[in-house]
Amino acid sequence: MASDDNGEVHPLPVIDREIRPGAATGLLVLGGALIAVAAVFVFFRDQLGESFLLGVLGIFAMIGIFYLFASVIGFIRIAPRSSGSELSKAFVDGSREGTVVTDGKSRIVYANQAYAQLTGAKTPSDVRSVESILSAEADVPDVIYRLSQKLRDGVGGVEEFRLSKPLGSTGEPQGRWYRLRVRPLQLADHKDMLSAWQLTDISGERAEQEKFFQDLQQAIDHLDHAPAGFFSADSKGVITYINATLADWLGIDLVQFQVGVIDVADIVAGDGMALIDSVQAEPGSTRTAVIDLDLSKRNGQALPVRLYQRVHAARDGTASAVRTIVLNRSEESARSTDAGVAELRFTRFFNSAPMAIAAVDSAGRVLRTNARFLKMFSSIVDRRAVDRHIRLDAIIHERDRKAFQLSLDKAIAGQADIDPIDSSFPNEDSRHLRLYFNAVVEGSGEDADEAAFVYAVETTEQKALEVQMAQSQKMQAVGQLAGGIAHDFNNVLTAVIMSSDLLLADHNSASDPSFQDIMNIKQNANRAASLVRQLLAFSRKQTLRPEILSLTDVLADLRMLLARLAGHNVKLKLDHGRDLWPVRADVGQLEQVIVNLVVNARDAMSDGGDIAIRSQNLAEADCEAFGYRELTPADYVLIEVADNGAGIPAEIREKIFEPFFTTKEVGKGTGLGLSMVYGIVKQTGGFIYVESETGKGTTFRIFLPRHVASAADASPAPAEAKAAERAAPADSGSGMMSKDLSGSATVLMVEDEDSVRMGGVRALQSRGYTVHEAASGVEALEVLEALGGKVDIIVSDVVMPEMDGPTLLRELRKKYADIKFIFVSGYAEDAFAKNLPE
């Protein structure tokens, strides 16, 4: 031990082989110089003379005395040490951490007293390096290896390990914990790298940690098995802790519970999250709220609870973790009085009601609300607004507040029957709601808190369905009207065209003055017939010839035509989907749909632009992504026709499929193009929708049902073609050449329209046929009976009063099995589907 000037005692190091190369060299040089001078004095004493020797000895004596006094007062030191070095060495010497410094060959350069005590060294010769001590311990075989590796990499390291008995102890085993640090040392006056090892007994520290951990475990155990549930969640609603009591109530297995897997919304039933989210704290404050709601168990059952929820907000307003105590009200109700049970039932009913409910006072201020109310009006009302007793008319549009106040006054006055009012959200005109009012009769006095209950139901979807239904009914009514008009108008045009053909037979020379007028009549009649076909397409009354198609082939065949229609200023791009499913459609009508959409897109881009036609398969599970209400989930092939033109304004978008609606100038469009597209897609069993934004372009989406192959698809001809084959002469399918029966056959003409029938009779008689006529199916049966069945062929309309064409065929086949039939009609789809024999 050594004491300093202040009398404080510090332990001396066990080993301190500190080498100072600069001081040693100086001492050697000085010693050599003195020996040399002494030798000169001995060997050259006579030559130098006594006076010279006495003078030199006097000089050395003066230097020695000066150095002695300078050393005593501290003016001169050999290998002086700085005060910082002295402090550092004193600190290490007296440290409670065992410190040992070794050189590159693991030789000990320095070891303090604490290290000797930790390792059980009695004398300096007993001190061993850390490597040699721990290498013999079987409990820590890898500690020295890992730390030595870090030393080789030029970095330090820390390891903690446990030994079954203390270092240097030979007594009874007693486990001890140690912390070992190592770091490389590089001194300026040493070439070799030194290693500083620090060994500390941390058994006491570990014991305190274990005690703290045990105390923590005990506290957690107390919290886990408390008679109340508890959970905490982060600001995003993710549950970070749930105690065993609540987990048991909800049926959650804590063994499998992981942070981030369960959200608060996963355990809250119904609209209860609206109550929880409505609890907000002011910036820099904490708030505790009491909430009655139902939690959802793992088995789907509801658990009535009361939550004591504590929320905190930072100074910047950001929410922090939420801590909540949960009371099981089902157990509470089992122990409570009838009044408590009734209160619990009312609370559950109030918060679980599917409509928004608010209790208001006589001034129209909100006193309390249920969960549905806070969820529905979350953008307007929160718990703080309810606490401030916001006026209820804040939830409706300003234009309806006068009507709202009148209804509320009736409720406050105790009136029983109050008509509901319809309104919309104040900040969203597209969201609609209906409000019902109910008076609180038992609290009608002036001091009553609750004066009325107001119930709110969102009717946005109902309004949308009403508009959609009205539009659908209007389209259906217009379609039926268009179909009826088309049928009658078609008969008129048929008579006009047939009369024109008969006149042309007599005036077939271009030099005939009447020829040009007759041709003009026929051409305009044919043009009108084209419009009739479009009306029939819109009303879905045309006769389709569906076949199984590959849309890739259909679009590829149309590419050249579409490119010419688009023009030079428009860039057309086709993007075919891979392995498209087959569809069943009329190829001619489907091509007409694509052509019409491309022409419309071209007309919307007067200065040029891009048109993209895309196709892809759409699985049933992907249908909901589009959000179309009418789209029935199924497998479809989707065709998109998109342009980057002017777009369609919202007020026009709902009318574009109506017949005769057009935005083009008079004479440049009939308004039947898109209505025909709509009718063809619908009659094919598909859906068509449009999305457009003014100034950015329009996209039409066509959903055609995927065709699944069946046994019937093996036959090459569709049902309509089969019907035509059955109606053809018997020898037409025998492989023999058909005979020309002109002028030699007897024909029965069945047509309810007089002008059409007369034209047909004249045309057949002009070819030499013997023609009999009938104005209906019933009359045709009578005529055929009168002729004894001696008719070669029957030419009949399909749609007729009393008895249609297919029914007539079925009745005639009962007696005349081989009768030959030809059907002639503007549209026959319904009649064929219902009455044509298999």
Side-chain angles (χ1 to χ4, degrees):
M1 306 290 284
S3 60
D4 57 15
D5 296 337
N6 296 325
E8 296 182 0
V9 179
H10 296 282
L12 295 175
V14 178
I15 299 174
D16 189 2
R17 296 173 181 161
E18 191 172 9
I19 299 175
R20 302 184 182 277
T25 302
L27 289 173
L28 291 175
V29 171
L30 179 60
L34 292 176
I35 292 171
V37 170
V40 169
F41 285 166
V42 172
F43 294 107
F44 300 99
R45 181 178 52 190
D46 297 332
Q47 287 85 353
L48 294 176
E50 291 184 1
S51 59
F52 177 77
L53 291 176
L54 290 174
V56 171
L57 290 175
I59 292 172
F60 276 112
M62 292 177 66
I63 292 174
I65 293 171
F66 171 78
Y67 182 79
L68 179 63
F69 280 102
S71 299
V72 170
I73 66 177
F75 183 75
I76 295 176
R77 291 183 181 178
I78 297 178
R81 180 179 294 159
S82 67
S83 60
S85 299
E86 290 288 348
L87 285 173
S88 300
K89 189 173 186 309
F91 176 79
V92 176
D93 288 345
S95 173
R96 294 184 179 181
E97 287 187 337
T99 304
V100 61
V101 179
T102 60
D103 60 13
K105 297 181 180 180
S106 298
R107 292 177 298 191
I108 297 176
V109 176
Y110 172 86
N112 65 359
Q113 286 283 354
Y115 181 77
Q117 293 174 359
L118 283 173
T119 58
K122 303 299 183 182
T123 62
S125 61
D126 295 337
V127 177
R128 294 181 297 162
S129 65
V130 176
E131 296 101 312
S132 62
I133 293 174
L134 294 184
S135 297
E137 297 288 344
D139 296 340
V140 284
D142 298 330
V143 170
I144 296 300
Y145 173 77
R146 289 194 296 269
L147 294 178
S148 298
Q149 286 293 111
K150 291 183 178 181
L151 275 177
R152 292 190 186 96
D153 297 335
V155 296
V158 181
E159 291 279 349
E160 292 183 359
F161 57 92
R162 184 182 184 278
L163 296 179
S164 57
K165 61 181 180 178
L167 288 172
S169 173
T170 57
E172 294 294 327
Q174 183 182 4
R176 305 293 289 181
W177 280 91
Y178 294 93
R179 180 184 295 120
L180 181 62
R181 301 175 187 269
V182 66
R183 61 187 180 91
L185 291 178
Q186 181 66 61
L187 300 181
D189 51 3
H190 281 274
K191 295 181 179 179
D192 295 334
M193 180 72 72
L194 304 180
S195 302
W197 301 78
Q198 288 181 302
L199 184 66
T200 310
D201 188 339
I202 59 172
S203 300
E205 180 182 330
R206 279 297 182 123
E208 291 180 0
Q209 290 178 356
E210 289 179 3
K211 184 177 182 303
F212 173 78
F213 181 75
Q214 290 173 356
D215 293 342
L216 180 61
Q217 284 291 97
Q218 189 175 13
I220 293 174
D221 183 70
H222 290 162
L223 180 60
D224 266 346
H225 298 90
F230 177 82
F231 71 87
S232 62
D234 61 18
S235 58
K236 296 180 180 179
V238 178
I239 295 178
T240 55
Y241 173 78
I242 183 170
N243 73 342
T245 302
L246 182 57
D248 181 61
W249 290 347
L250 299 179
I252 297 174
D253 186 0
L254 280 180
V255 176
Q256 298 179 355
F257 173 77
Q258 294 180 349
V259 176
V261 175
I262 301 178
D263 295 344
V264 177
D266 296 331
I267 65 172
V268 176
D271 297 321
M273 280 304 299
L275 292 171
I276 293 176
D277 293 338
S278 67
V279 181
Q280 302 291 333
E282 297 290 342
S285 66
T286 301
R287 181 180 181 186
T288 302
V290 181
I291 305 172
D292 291 319
L293 47 76
D294 285 358
L295 297 184
S296 178
K297 297 182 180 180
R298 283 298 187 185
N299 59 9
Q301 294 179 347
L303 176 70
V305 297
R306 171 167 288 177
L307 305 183
Y308 291 85
Q309 184 175 17
R310 183 177 182 273
V311 297
H312 176 75
R315 292 188 178 276
D316 59 357
T318 56
S320 60
V322 177
R323 294 170 179 82
T324 307
I325 296 175
V326 184
L327 300 183
N328 188 340
R329 301 207 68 186
S330 62
E331 296 177 355
E332 175 186 333
S333 63
R335 300 187 301 269
S336 61
T337 62
D338 293 340
V341 173
E343 189 266 340
L344 172 60
R345 288 178 178 173
F346 174 77
T347 300
R348 295 189 67 193
F349 161 78
F350 186 68
N351 282 325
S352 302
M355 63 176 61
I357 306 175
V360 298
D361 61 12
S362 58
R365 296 187 295 260
V366 178
L367 300 179
R368 58 191 177 115
T369 64
N370 69 340
R372 185 66 181 175
F373 185 95
L374 291 172
K375 180 178 181 180
M376 184 184 298
F377 302 105
S378 59
S379 60
I380 308 168
V381 180
D382 58 10
R383 181 58 68 90
R384 282 178 291 183
V386 174
D387 292 344
R388 294 195 307 268
H389 300 310
I390 186 176
R391 287 184 57 84
L392 186 59
D393 56 8
I395 68 171
I396 65 171
H397 200 280
E398 186 175 359
R399 64 173 178 268
D400 300 313
R401 290 178 181 174
K402 185 176 181 180
F404 171 85
Q405 189 61 47
L406 291 174
S407 297
L408 184 60
D409 291 342
K410 292 178 182 179
I412 294 172
Q415 187 170 329
D417 296 326
I418 305 173
D419 293 332
I421 65 170
D422 292 318
S423 182
S424 59
F425 285 63
N427 51 355
E428 293 180 83
D429 286 340
S430 60
R431 293 183 65 186
H432 302 272
L433 70 153
R434 175 168 291 179
L435 300 172
Y436 300 86
F437 299 84
N438 186 24
V440 181
V441 179
E442 66 272 15
S444 56
E446 292 183 359
D447 296 333
D449 291 334
E450 296 175 353
F453 282 106
V454 180
Y455 306 88
V457 178
E458 185 169 358
T459 57
T460 303
E461 186 172 355
Q462 179 183 342
K463 287 286 186 182
L465 290 174
E466 288 176 358
V467 173
Q468 184 177 329
M469 180 62 70
Q471 179 73 6
S472 178
Q473 290 177 341
K474 181 177 71 172
M475 296 288 280
Q476 184 177 359
V478 173
Q480 290 177 345
L481 176 63
I485 293 174
H487 177 262
D488 295 337
F489 192 48
N490 205 34
N491 287 333
V492 175
L493 291 175
T494 301
V496 173
I497 293 172
M498 291 177 68
S499 297
S500 300
D501 288 337
L502 292 173
L503 285 172
L504 285 174
D506 297 331
H507 303 274
N508 56 6
S509 174
S511 59
D512 191 320
S514 302
F515 176 80
Q516 190 61 40
D517 293 331
I518 297 171
M519 286 297 299
N520 193 27
I521 292 172
K522 183 176 180 179
Q523 289 172 356
N524 282 281
N526 285 327
R527 182 182 174 190
S530 175
L531 295 177
V532 171
R533 283 194 294 273
Q534 291 179 317
L535 281 174
L536 289 174
F538 164 72
S539 61
R540 294 171 250 172
K541 298 294 185 181
Q542 61 182 340
T543 303
L544 298 179
R545 294 184 179 271
E547 54 185 295
I548 301 171
L549 303 174
S550 168
L551 283 179
T552 303
D553 296 338
V554 173
L555 295 176
D557 293 342
L558 277 176
R559 185 183 185 94
M560 295 303 295
L561 172 62
L562 296 176
R564 288 197 298 270
L565 289 173
H568 299 291
N569 294 334
V570 175
K571 181 180 178 182
L572 180 68
K573 179 182 179 182
L574 268 70
D575 186 3
H576 299 290
R578 297 183 59 185
D579 301 324
L580 291 182
W581 295 322
V583 297
R584 191 169 185 267
D586 186 314
V587 62
Q589 298 295 331
L590 186 57
E591 289 176 345
Q592 189 66 33
V593 167
I594 304 299
V595 167
N596 270 273
L597 293 179
V598 170
V599 169
N600 276 355
R602 178 202 64 191
D603 294 342
M605 299 182 293
S606 56
D607 297 329
D610 298 329
I611 298 177
I613 302 176
R614 300 181 288 266
S615 60
Q616 68 177 68
N617 292 330
L618 184 68
E620 179 177 350
D622 300 327
C623 292
E624 293 183 0
F626 291 93
Y628 299 133
R629 296 178 183 273
E630 289 184 342
L631 186 62
T632 306
D635 290 341
Y636 295 97
V637 178
L638 172 62
I639 306 174
E640 290 183 333
V641 180
D643 64 68
N644 56 357
I648 305 173
E651 62 273 12
I652 296 177
R653 204 175 305 149
E654 298 179 355
K655 304 178 181 179
I656 60 173
F657 293 123
E658 297 180 7
F660 306 114
F661 177 82
T662 180
T663 57
K664 297 179 182 178
E665 298 177 9
V666 177
K668 293 188 177 181
T670 62
L672 288 173
L674 287 178
S675 63
M676 181 189 68
V677 168
Y678 178 85
I680 292 172
V681 172
K682 286 293 186 179
Q683 194 171 358
T684 307
F687 299 87
I688 181 169
Y689 299 96
V690 61
E691 291 186 4
S692 183
E693 188 173 351
T694 305
K696 293 188 176 180
T698 303
T699 299
F700 284 89
R701 291 191 176 96
I702 301 172
F703 299 83
L704 296 179
R706 175 187 182 182
H707 177 75
V708 180
S710 61
D713 298 330
S715 178
E720 292 80 354
K722 293 179 181 179
E725 290 173 2
R726 290 196 296 268
D731 60 351
S732 64
S734 61
M736 300 173 59
M737 294 293 292
S738 299
K739 294 186 297 180
D740 184 1
L741 301 178
S742 298
S744 61
T746 300
V747 180
L748 175 58
M749 184 75 179
V750 186
E751 170 62 56
D752 63 318
E753 188 71 28
D754 294 340
S755 58
V756 176
R757 186 177 69 254
M758 291 171 59
V761 169
R762 285 187 60 191
L764 291 171
Q765 287 176 343
S766 68
R767 295 289 291 176
Y769 291 102
T770 301
V771 183
H772 301 276
E773 55 183 300
S776 68
V778 175
E779 185 178 344
L781 291 175
E782 296 173 353
V783 171
L784 195 61
E785 187 69 25
L787 295 174
K790 295 180 180 180
V791 173
D792 295 302
I793 192 167
I794 298 176
V795 179
S796 174
D797 190 9
V798 175
V799 181
M800 296 182 294
E802 298 184 14
M803 182 182 292
D804 58 22
T807 305
L808 174 62
L809 172 61
R810 188 172 63 249
E811 292 297 322
L812 289 176
R813 285 278 173 88
K814 294 178 181 178
K815 189 173 182 180
Y816 309 102
D818 296 329
I819 195 73
K820 301 175 184 63
F821 232 89
I822 293 179
F823 285 118
V824 180
S825 180
Y827 64 95
E829 191 80 12
D830 293 340
F832 273 138
K834 294 177 181 177
N835 300 323
L836 190 67
E838 287 297 328

